[in-house]
Amino acid sequence: MTHTFLYGTGAFEGIRGYWDDRSGRMNIFRLHDHFQRLDRSARVLRSTLPDSVDRLCEITAELCRRNNDHEDVYIRPQVYKADEVIGPELIHRTDAFFIFSLPFGKYLEKTTGMHCGTSSWRRVQDNMIPARAKVTGIYVNSSLARTEAMENGFDEAIMLNANGYVGEGSSENLFIVRDGKLVTPSDSDDILEGITRKTVMELAHAELGVETEVRHIGRTELYTADECFLCGTGAEITPVTKVDHREVGSGQVGELTTRLRDLFFEVVRGRCPKYSDWLYPVNAA
Ligand code: PMP
């Protein structure tokens, strides 16, 4: 009867820890940012985190230490409404929290160029269920879109928002490349404000001198883009080489996508000291 099980009222995060063989430790990527977003998602649901963001980071490190993880992991914290009660209201409920980690490799199987399909399912609007909040119930929208895409023979869905503009994948943000610039849907386009998306924009600017236009993207821009990729904690940076049976650009993995992906892996694997602030190290017990 748990409220969150009955009504989908949990706020959660998906976080990656990268195992570094050389130093013999786990580096959790942008952990603080994830808990900050969890706090915002929780506020939408009128929930509160059980502790400060700093303390939750320490608890996450402790979890990895106790699990004795020696490989890449996926970490999922969730705030949920624990009362066993009938009635969907968010107030007068008791918040609870869990966190688990498990060994995790690739999330999307096809890393060499995906074929995505525009979904017949629209992304939920801010006044329906806010996409900027990472809320469990919202993933029914993602599940429907991803299932349809898979059954239609695509690798992943691209959801348009209610206004017909490009939103995001079922659990990834989207970028296209046009005339050497990155373009990504804006924060008010009914997307999750992805941490990998932010990372991509920051790395592209600082390391490659490439700027990002944040604006509406029309569906047909996907067909005429020079490059396209999806990004997320699970997806990391995954190139899209075909959309709706049409080749994107040359139909091969794009040059900028490749440079960004290489750079991204250098950073998350701890090979770029300049970005060590983004890594939360878990030292052995
Ligand atoms: N959009 C949705 C719907 C997602 O579930 C995710 C995965 N959390 C993303 C985008 C990517 O966000 P992030 O880079 O923060 O993982």
Side-chain angles (χ1 to χ4, degrees), residues 32-235:
H32 204 270
D33 293 319
H34 278 284
F35 278 117
Q36 239 164 16
R37 187 172 64 187
L38 184 65
D39 181 48
R40 291 187 186 138
S41 302
R43 274 195 272 159
V44 172
L45 293 180
R46 307 287 294 268
S47 291
T48 39
L49 301 189
D51 219 323
S52 68
V53 165
D54 284 345
R55 181 72 193 118
L56 289 169
C57 290
E58 288 168 15
I59 288 169
T60 307
E62 181 65 19
L63 171 83
C64 294
R65 245 191 311 275
R66 288 199 200 180
N67 280 347
N68 202 20
D69 293 316
H70 286 84
E71 58 193 304
D72 295 350
V73 292
Y74 177 81
I75 303 160
R76 177 167 297 210
Q78 185 173 317
V79 181
Y80 67 99
K81 308 239 176 233
D83 306 84
E84 296 179 13
V85 64
I86 301 299
E89 65 268 30
L90 300 168
I91 50 173
H92 314 306
R93 301 284 180 245
T94 315
D95 293 319
F97 177 84
F98 68 73
I99 181 164
F100 63 80
S101 77
L102 67 152
F104 201 65
K106 288 280 168 233
Y107 168 67
L108 294 174
E109 274 167 27
K110 202 157 169 197
T111 53
T112 51
M114 287 194 299
H115 185 188
C116 293
T118 306
S119 184
S120 70
W121 296 97
R122 292 295 171 101
R123 189 72 179 129
V124 283
Q125 265 184 305
D126 202 46
N127 286 308
M128 297 174 177
I129 317 177
R132 90 182 70 255
K134 201 165 164 64
V135 167
T136 54
I138 210 173
Y139 280 82
V140 173
N141 187 220
S142 295
S143 302
L144 291 168
R146 187 160 159 83
T147 304
E148 178 195 57
M150 288 166 78
E151 290 187 335
N152 285 340
F154 297 112
D155 300 308
E156 179 57 295
I158 294 174
M159 280 185 278
L160 307 180
N161 61 28
N163 297 320
Y165 293 113
V166 173
E168 56 187 334
S170 69
S171 52
E172 310 89 10
N173 290 115
L174 178 142
F175 282 83
I176 57 171
V177 177
R178 262 191 97 152
D179 302 325
K181 263 197 206 159
L182 289 164
V183 190
T184 197
S186 85
D187 293 356
S188 49
D189 266 326
D190 297 321
I191 59 165
L192 182 75
E193 295 166 356
I195 289 164
T196 318
R197 170 178 173 267
K198 193 164 130 196
T199 303
V200 165
M201 292 193 272
E202 288 168 357
L203 288 178
H205 169 77
E207 302 301 320
L208 307 178
V210 172
E211 300 309 322
T212 305
E213 262 181 63
V214 178
R215 61 161 173 83
H216 297 319
I217 296 180
R219 173 181 183 163
T220 50
E221 282 186 90
L222 298 173
Y223 302 159
T224 55
D226 301 322
E227 301 179 30
C228 179
F229 62 88
L230 293 177
C231 70
T233 296

